[in-house]
Each structure stands twice: as C-alpha cells, then as structure tokens.
Amino acid sequence: MSQTIHDRSADAPSAGVLQLKKGSGLGLAAVLGIALAVGIAMPAAGQDKPTYTFSGFSPVNQHLAELSGIWDDAPYEAELIQTTFIESVAGLNSGQLLLAHYGITTALRQQSASEPQWTVETSPIKLVYGYRTASEEFPIYPQSSLLVRNDAGIETAADLRGKTWASQIGGDVPTVYLAALQQAGLTPDDITELTADSYGPLVAAFRSGEAHVLAAGPGQVIDLIESGEARVFYTQDELGIAVFPGLAALAASLEDPELEAVIGDFLVRFTRFNEWKEAHPAEHREALITIGQSDERRADFDVAQFQGVASIRFDDVLIDSAQKSVDLLHWAGQVPNPIDPANIWATYDDRFNEATGAVTYLFREYDKSRLHEILEQQAAATR
C-alpha cells in the first residue's frame, strides 16, 4: 500500500535572488589567474559584465557568498538563486540557468526515459560537479540514512517488514530507501509506503509516529536521535549508494568556449566557497540561526557537515555507484528503462576534476552507536 502527501508550500514561487557585485574579493592577481586559466576575457573598464544565473543557493548561502567575497571580482555577475528542485531542473532544461542544482540520479532518470537513450555524444545534460565530506579524519553523520523510531519494535532487518516507510519523491534519497529494502530482503509490497514531494510532511509523519521509518538526512530529526527516540539503521555508505549535492550544465554550454570558461571559473570559486565555510564556522552558524531560522543544535549539525568537505571526482568509483542507483530505480519501477553500462557515463562530465581538486568518493564506515558522541565533539570544535 502506498500514500502520497502533497506539500503545496513547495509549489510556491521561489524567493531569494542575490547578485554578487561588491566587496574586497579574492584580490586581482588571484582572480586574473583563475580567469586566464579557464579562458575568460576580463571586461574592459566601464564595460558591463555579463550576468549568469546559478541555482541551489539558499538565503543562508547567498548571505555567506556575499560575506566571503569570493565572487566579487569574477569577470561576470553571478546571480545566485534559490529554487525548488523541480524548478532547478526546469530552469536548466529551458536554458534559464547556466548551472543547476542536480542530484547524482537526476539526469539518469531523464536518460532512462529518453528515446533513443542518451549516449556520451548525445546527452544534452551533464553533471559536472558534486561535493561532500571526503576525509576519514572527520567521521561525521552520513548525508542520507534510513532512520527508524525506537518505539516501532525494529531491532533487526526482518522487523522492517510491515512498517510504514516515508521517503521523498524524486532526487537521490529514494535510492537509499530502495537499497535498504533490498538489503533487508524486502520489496515495496512488503511495506506501507508514504511519499511526498518535500521533506516537511514526511518528517512530521515520522515525528508523530505515523511513519516508523524515514529515508532522509539525519539532520532532519537530529533532536529525535539525540533524545533516543530515533536512530540510524542503515547509512548510504554501507548500502553502497553515493549521495551528494551536485551541479549540472547543458552540454551545449560546455561546447561553447566562453560558457565553458565561465562554468569552470564558477566551480573553482564554489570549491573555495565551501572551504571558506569550513574555515568560518562562527559566521556559518550565525547565518543558519538568524537567516535560516535553525535551532542551535541543528546549526551545530549543519556546520559540522562541512568539515573536510571536498569536490567529488567523477571516476569509475562514482559511476559504479550511479549504475547501482539506476538499477535500483528500474527494479522498483521508478524509471521506465534500464541504462546500458556502456552508456552510464552519458550524463557525467569529468573535465573539471583537476581544476576543483576533486577526490574519489569515499564510502565510509560509521560506528552508529557513537554518532551522538561524534556530533557533540564536532559541535564543540566549531563553536
């Protein structure tokens, strides 16, 4: 049995547009080095800069981007906007966005539905960037997990049968949900599915006990984990599923030398922005609380998530996980066609690996019994 919750708040017009134009910046020498390395012509004195739009920036990140000064001296105006995920996909496909927030499986879903199926040469969408914590030095909470309520009588995988599982529609987290089903030896017919197009109603259902299982990032219910009301049952990494925020471009933009250069410059600066957030935990935490309206513990959690953050290398390790994800989606009937392993690279582009210092995706081992202790240590270190 399945039930879908529609969260109409997600359909509201997106808010929050920031054009980065002023500030001290990185310094002219550093910016010229980036611009010349990727082939961007610096505008002449008095000449207007071209404006390009990039999605995936919450009001918190818009504020921090301005505070960091990292885009101040870019040879273009970076318009950073917040959109819903659906708006981001639509904006990229329509050409309104130069880079759009994409998950690792977003373009795979489009590829599966394409007729004929996209190849490396014909795919119109390319994922060009992703990031997450990539160091064994920082054993943080996993980005996505299967969470269970401790009052639901779930001690072993067999106890997951017959329970109500909550998961978002679309994006990457459903692959964690499906991998957990397979790991437990179950199928969607063995559980009650509760789905929605945003996390709000799913988290509410989990908090109330209507849902016994939740596929989500632990930060969504960090208070329940810390109070002992919920716990992480499976992590994305032990399930072999790569999940991280990504950025995608149109293949046509990458074929245009000027736009390719802008994209490369932006990704170098975005990598530095993530490093800036790691180096400025107090500013990050304050913005989360004052602008993002997070409580202090959730802010501690989100700040800790940026320890050891790095760009993810697009290589065979990542692509093998992408193949597993799309196979799971096809197994569950969430995509119409399987993707031939010969074409799995079609929606990925690795040209910016070196420029962004990308590192191979790390499938981490977590001592789930120590996650509370680890978070407390990290929160203390970032205050």
Side-chain angles (χ1 to χ4, degrees):
M1 184 179 76
S2 64
Q3 179 184 352
T4 301
I5 305 172
H6 295 288
D7 182 10
R8 296 305 177 192
S9 63
D11 299 328
S14 57
V17 176
L18 175 69
Q19 288 193 356
L20 299 176
K21 297 182 180 179
K22 60 183 185 296
S24 58
L26 294 171
L28 183 58
V31 172
L32 279 173
I34 295 172
L36 293 174
V38 297
I40 304 176
M42 297 295 289
Q47 180 181 342
D48 289 339
K49 297 180 183 180
T51 297
Y52 300 103
T53 306
F54 309 87
S55 74
F57 280 76
S58 67
V60 168
N61 279 327
Q62 290 177 23
H63 167 76
L64 293 174
E66 186 170 24
L67 189 63
S68 74
I70 285 172
W71 279 277
D72 290 349
D73 297 317
Y76 51 86
E77 302 291 358
E79 185 179 46
L80 309 179
I81 68 171
Q82 181 183 32
T83 64
T84 66
F85 191 70
I86 292 172
E87 289 170 338
S88 192
V89 173
L92 179 66
N93 284 265
S94 68
Q96 294 175 300
L97 299 172
L98 186 59
L99 285 173
H101 172 56
Y102 254 56
I104 186 174
T105 62
T106 309
L108 292 175
R109 293 171 183 269
Q110 294 175 281
Q111 181 185 3
S112 171
S114 66
E115 294 288 349
Q117 198 166 99
W118 298 342
T119 66
V120 170
E121 292 76 22
T122 65
S123 174
I125 304 292
K126 300 288 185 179
L127 195 72
V128 294
Y129 188 84
Y131 63 96
R132 72 166 291 192
T133 295
S135 170
E136 289 284 10
E137 183 181 354
F138 300 106
I140 63 168
Y141 270 76
Q143 184 161 339
S144 292
S145 303
L146 193 78
L147 300 145
V148 299
R149 289 187 58 89
N150 285 335
D151 60 6
I154 301 171
E155 299 300 329
T156 68
D159 298 326
L160 293 167
R161 184 186 300 273
K163 299 298 191 292
T164 298
W165 292 38
S167 178
Q168 188 175 17
I169 299 169
D172 295 336
V173 174
T175 58
V176 175
Y177 162 85
L178 295 173
L181 274 177
Q182 281 199 347
Q183 182 77 10
L186 304 174
T187 73
D189 292 337
D190 295 319
I191 63 169
T192 297
E193 294 180 292
L194 184 65
T195 58
D197 48 15
S198 69
Y199 279 118
L202 300 174
V203 171
F206 187 71
R207 289 183 179 280
S208 70
E210 177 186 359
H212 311 109
V213 180
L214 173 67
Q220 297 283 347
V221 290
I222 192 65
D223 57 321
L224 298 186
I225 295 173
E226 293 187 325
S227 69
E229 296 172 76
R231 72 184 189 278
V232 173
F233 195 86
Y234 289 132
T235 72
Q236 63 184 60
D237 290 339
E238 70 183 288
L239 295 170
I241 300 298
V243 178
F244 55 80
L247 292 169
L250 292 177
S253 297
L254 296 169
E255 292 165 5
D256 180 310
E258 182 176 342
L259 294 180
E260 179 194 27
V262 171
I263 291 168
D265 179 87
F266 183 89
L267 295 179
V268 169
R269 293 173 190 272
F270 187 78
T271 299
R272 295 191 67 174
F273 175 55
N274 283 336
E275 293 168 351
W276 183 92
K277 285 200 288 187
E278 180 182 4
H280 295 80
E283 292 89 339
H284 190 184
R285 186 175 188 271
E286 180 181 3
L288 288 165
I289 294 170
T290 60
I291 299 173
Q293 302 298 303
S294 291
D295 61 42
E296 292 190 358
R297 290 304 281 139
R298 176 64 191 269
D300 287 340
F301 175 84
D302 287 341
V303 169
Q305 290 288 84
F306 268 84
Q307 291 185 301
V309 73
S311 169
I312 297 303
R313 176 172 289 273
F314 287 15
D315 57 16
D316 288 339
V317 172
L318 181 64
I319 296 304
D320 287 348
S321 179
Q323 183 73 60
K324 178 174 182 178
S325 291
V326 78
D327 289 346
L328 282 165
L329 292 171
H330 183 251
W331 167 73
Q334 294 191 19
V335 296
N337 301 301
I339 293 179
D340 188 323
N343 291 329
I344 194 66
W345 265 99
T347 59
Y348 299 88
D349 193 301
D350 64 359
R351 75 183 69 191
F352 301 112
N353 275 353
E354 303 309 320
T356 61
V359 299
T360 294
Y361 191 96
L362 178 65
F363 288 96
R364 309 162 64 88
E365 293 185 5
Y366 296 88
D367 180 352
K368 293 191 284 275
S369 67
R370 293 189 60 240
L371 289 179
H372 303 108
E373 174 188 344
I374 291 167
L375 178 61
E376 182 56 43
Q377 290 172 352
Q378 291 175 328
T382 58
R383 292 194 188 106

